């Protein structure tokens, strides 16, 4: 059965991924009842030590994220080695899959979710580079799942589809983020249905309607939109149709449902995650163990 997992991104997005920051997040997750967390191993800790550490909070590792720009700014030889190290850590934790995502293009951070500065040659290069990394991850025992993310080279529906269609299911799976799809103007359920046979993980993220229209956020950069606290919503408070999303996820889906609220709409990170967890326990009751 799948699990409800948490990504402690609002804890570390400004403060960094220190042990102290993670400790605060893990204590909150333990109090709430989460049993799985995105696997981010601190640089000074090995996988066994990390697993024991989070186990002390009643948590086990859930799928993580390999992130790259995949464009002309990266050294692919270095990216390949980084991917091998990443895969070695993740498989040592007992994981068999990972999200893979692209961030970030300056023009798309300045003008998010509209495909700003599109360049066909850059997209072709990024698809090829992403394919290289996917094959490396697969060779190391880790199944890559494309994770939609505003701000990267695979931002719009057409770009994501190009990536998935060109590389094919033997190279890359699908790990959608409902909120990032919605922000980019992509109806999550319909797009997930298109690639449902490739889904191996999902980030559960909701959006308020306030800033989804490009005209409503005119002149606002990526992080300025987030900081308003009127973009990301705790699940069930926004406009993502989760009934429709769940209806298109295959019955045999064996991945986790990872809660992700990058910028809580409420003052307390603890309360934001408590709200999200209680919603998930009710809505996902038939899907979780």
């Amino acid at each position: 059965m799948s699990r409800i997992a948490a990504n402690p991104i609002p804890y570390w997005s400004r403060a960094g991924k220190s042990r102290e920051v993670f400790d605060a997040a893990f204590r909150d997750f333990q109090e709430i009842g989460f049993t799985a967390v995105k696997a981010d191993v601190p640089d000074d800790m090995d996988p066994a030590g990390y697993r024991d550490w989070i186990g002390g909070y009643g948590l086990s590792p859930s799928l993580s994220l390999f992130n790259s720009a995949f464009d002309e700014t990266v050294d692919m030889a270095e990216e390949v080695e980084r991917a091998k190290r990443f895969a070695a850590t993740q498989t040592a934790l007992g994981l068999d899959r990972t999200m893979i995502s692209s961030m970030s293009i300056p023009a798309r951070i300045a003008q998010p979710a509209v495909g700003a500065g599109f360049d066909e040659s850059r997209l072709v290069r990024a698809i090829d580079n992403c394919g290289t990394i996917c094959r490396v991850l697969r060779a190391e025992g880790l199944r890559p799942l494309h994770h939609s993310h505003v701000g990267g080279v695979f931002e719009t529906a057409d770009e994501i589809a190009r990536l998935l269609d060109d590389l094919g299911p033997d190279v890359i799976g699908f790990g959608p983020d409902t909120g990032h799809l919605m922000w980019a103007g992509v109806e999550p359920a319909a797009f997930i249905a298109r690639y449902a046979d490739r889904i191996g993980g999902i980030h559960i993220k909701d959006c308020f309607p306030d800033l989804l229209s490009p005209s409503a956020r005119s002149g606002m950069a990526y992080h300025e939109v987030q900081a308003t606290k009127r973009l990301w919503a705790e699940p069930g408070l926004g406009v993502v149709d989760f009934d429709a999303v769940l209806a298109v996820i295959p019955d045999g889906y064996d991945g986790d449902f990872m809660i992700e609220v990058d910028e809580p709409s409420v003052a307390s990170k603890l309360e934001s995650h408590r709200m999200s967890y209680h919603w998930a326990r009710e809505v996902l009751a038939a899907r979780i163990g």
Side-chain angles (χ1 to χ4, degrees), residues 12 15-19 21-22 38 40 42:
W12 57 254
K17 295 181 178 181
S18 69
R19 292 200 194 196
V21 168
F22 281 139
K38 177 176 178 277
D40 281 325

Side-chain angles (χ1 to χ4, degrees), residues 12 51 98 138 153 158 161 177 185 190 192-193 210 221 223 227 239 278 286:
W12 57 254
R51 191 169 190 123
T98 184
R138 281 188 173 275
V153 68
D158 287 345
D177 182 302
I192 291 170
D210 310 39
H223 299 294
V239 294
H278 288 167

Side-chain angles (χ1 to χ4, degrees), residues 46-106:
D46 63 22
Y50 174 79
R51 191 169 190 123
D52 288 345
W53 180 45
I54 66 173
Y57 302 88
L59 299 169
S60 58
S62 184
L63 79 171
S64 192
L65 173 70
F66 183 89
N67 190 32
S68 173
F70 292 122
D71 62 11
E72 69 281 357
T73 66
V74 302
D75 181 315
M76 282 303 294
E78 293 180 358
E79 291 295 85
V80 164
E81 293 307 310
R82 187 166 69 89
K84 289 179 180 178
R85 293 192 299 271
F86 175 84
T89 295
Q90 297 298 305
T91 55
L93 291 172
L95 296 168
D96 65 356
R97 67 196 71 181
T98 184
M99 300 288 197
I100 184 167
S101 190
S102 61
M103 277 288 281
S104 57
I105 296 172

Side-chain angles (χ1 to χ4, degrees), residues 52-251:
D52 288 345
W53 180 45
I54 66 173
Y57 302 88
L59 299 169
S60 58
S62 184
L63 79 171
S64 192
L65 173 70
F66 183 89
N67 190 32
S68 173
F70 292 122
D71 62 11
E72 69 281 357
T73 66
V74 302
D75 181 315
M76 282 303 294
E78 293 180 358
E79 291 295 85
V80 164
E81 293 307 310
R82 187 166 69 89
K84 289 179 180 178
R85 293 192 299 271
F86 175 84
T89 295
Q90 297 298 305
T91 55
L93 291 172
L95 296 168
D96 65 356
R97 67 196 71 181
T98 184
M99 300 288 197
I100 184 167
S101 190
S102 61
M103 277 288 281
S104 57
I105 296 172
R108 295 187 172 188
I109 297 301
Q111 189 181 5
V114 294
F118 175 79
D119 183 283
E120 173 67 18
S121 62
R122 181 181 61 202
L123 177 61
V124 170
R125 180 200 297 261
I127 291 172
D128 183 61
N129 287 344
C130 186
T132 296
I133 296 301
C134 286
R135 293 180 181 94
V136 168
L137 294 172
R138 281 188 173 275
E140 299 295 322
L142 209 55
R143 176 188 175 198
L145 310 168
H146 178 255
H147 178 67
S148 42
H149 204 296
V150 165
V153 68
F154 310 117
E155 181 178 69
T156 67
D158 287 345
E159 290 164 346
I160 299 168
R162 282 274 300 275
L163 172 73
L164 294 171
D165 294 346
D166 287 5
L167 294 183
D170 292 338
V171 175
I172 190 167
F174 189 41
D177 182 302
T178 56
H180 277 283
L181 287 172
M182 194 80 185
W183 189 13
V186 185
E187 203 288 306
F191 199 80
I192 291 170
R194 183 174 173 181
Y195 298 101
D197 60 337
R198 294 163 69 171
I199 189 169
I202 187 169
H203 281 190
I204 298 295
K205 185 186 267 123
D206 209 347
C207 299
F208 291 115
D210 310 39
L211 298 171
L212 292 182
S213 168
S215 62
R217 58 177 190 270
S218 178
M220 300 175 69
Y222 184 102
H223 299 294
E224 293 173 321
V225 178
Q226 288 200 132
T228 65
K229 292 184 175 289
R230 295 305 302 171
L231 174 63
W232 305 130
E234 287 71 24
L237 297 185
V239 294
V240 172
D241 186 347
F242 285 108
D243 287 340
V245 167
L246 293 174
V248 299
I249 295 177
D251 290 340

